[in-house]
Amino acid sequence: MSRTKKEVNADGFTVKALMRNSVVARPPPTGVFKQRPSKPTAFRTYYERRELPIVVDHNSRGKNIAWKVDIEKLDYQYYLPLLFHGLCETEYPYELLARQGIHDMLERGGSKILPVLPKLIIPIRNAMNTKNHQVMCSTLRILQYLVMSADDVGVALVPYLKQILPVFNLFKNKKRNLGDAIESRRDRESIGDLIEETLEILEHYGGPDAFKQIKSMIPTYSPA
């Protein structure tokens, strides 16, 4: 009578894994797409100290913000980077204040935006590195608007792309899941589609070196 050999659990790429009765365990998850918890930002700290010139506009039922001073009089070198640090925020009202505040400053910043660009790279990179769906989608929208907000911003951004594109490469194939009907509207927004759209904007406004830089970081990039 033949005896059935007992199965042996084994890790991959080991001597035990070569045995006939071995069952190779699956590799542990890498966690590469796992969200990273965001610490309280400098933006939140300054807002709670009432040191920022923005508040929630309660006349709009909390859906808009109000400025305490004329935006044109703001020190862009100081306030715009602070607001960009707020991109990591996901709680109300911090997320609303940072996102809408950035939009308002970019809309009316003109020539003041370009000199501040180097100070915006780390906040953008930190926001993308949270791997939080809400934060990433908001940051991609802001990045698109930043590139189009003033002359030469797209060209000036090209040397910094190597600092922010690694996460793009990781999530570029995360397309919309049309079969999931229980997701919120925001969660249905496709990071993959937004990344593709953002890359095309970066290439369009980035001058002759933009495509080369993008392609070096994302070899599969192919503009529509």
Side-chain angles (χ1 to χ4, degrees):
M1 181 181 297
S2 61
R3 295 182 179 180
T4 303
K5 292 184 178 181
K6 185 178 180 180
E7 293 182 342
V8 177
N9 294 324
D11 295 326
F13 306 102
T14 62
V15 174
K16 189 183 291 187
L18 300 176
M19 298 171 60
R20 290 185 178 180
N21 60 327
S22 66
V23 177
V24 179
R26 293 183 178 182
T30 63
V32 69
F33 296 109
K34 187 177 180 179
Q35 294 184 19
R36 297 179 180 177
S38 177
K39 298 178 181 179
T41 65
F43 169 79
R44 180 186 293 215
T45 300
Y46 277 74
Y47 178 74
E48 291 178 343
R49 291 177 183 170
R50 299 183 179 181
E51 296 180 8
L52 294 177
I54 51 176
V55 293
V56 175
D57 181 5
H58 294 288
N59 292 328
S60 65
R61 297 183 179 179
K63 295 181 180 179
N64 291 314
I65 69 172
W67 289 88
K68 300 177 183 178
V69 299
D70 291 336
I71 296 176
E72 289 83 355
K73 296 180 180 179
L74 289 173
D75 181 354
Y76 269 62
Q77 289 280 350
Y78 181 78
Y79 286 109
L80 191 58
L82 264 179
L83 289 173
F84 266 79
H85 279 291
L87 286 173
C88 290
E89 297 287 352
T90 58
E91 297 179 6
Y92 179 87
Y94 312 106
E95 185 265 346
L96 168 68
L97 291 162
R99 177 172 46 81
Q100 187 60 51
I102 291 171
H103 184 278
D104 291 351
M105 290 190 71
L106 293 180
E107 184 177 45
R108 301 168 70 174
S111 61
K112 298 178 183 179
I113 297 171
L114 183 59
V116 190
L117 185 62
K119 295 183 178 182
L120 307 181
I121 304 305
I122 290 178
I124 291 172
R125 184 183 64 192
N126 289 345
M128 293 299 295
N129 283 341
T130 65
K131 300 177 183 178
N132 177 289
H133 186 104
Q134 172 187 341
V135 170
M136 293 177 71
C137 288
S138 294
T139 303
L140 288 166
R141 292 293 188 197
I142 290 292
L143 182 58
Q144 292 180 14
Y145 195 50
L146 171 66
V147 171
M148 298 184 288
S149 63
D151 293 340
D152 300 324
V153 170
V155 175
L157 188 61
V158 171
Y160 299 102
L161 292 181
K162 60 184 178 182
Q163 298 187 46
I164 60 177
L165 290 188
V167 177
F168 282 50
N169 196 33
L170 185 63
F171 282 85
K172 62 183 174 58
N173 292 323
K174 288 280 186 178
K175 302 293 184 179
R176 183 182 295 106
N177 182 8
L178 297 177
D180 194 341
I182 65 174
E183 289 182 314
S184 67
R185 182 189 63 81
R186 175 172 284 181
D187 287 339
R188 287 199 303 269
E189 192 169 24
S190 168
I191 291 178
D193 291 338
L194 269 176
I195 286 175
E196 184 176 342
E197 182 180 298
T198 304
L199 289 173
E200 291 177 359
I201 291 174
L202 290 171
E203 180 192 355
H204 179 77
Y205 287 90
D209 295 329
F211 176 79
K212 182 178 179 180
Q213 183 70 275
I214 294 171
K215 195 71 173 177
S216 69
M217 300 296 297
I218 306 178
T220 58
Y221 171 67
S222 179

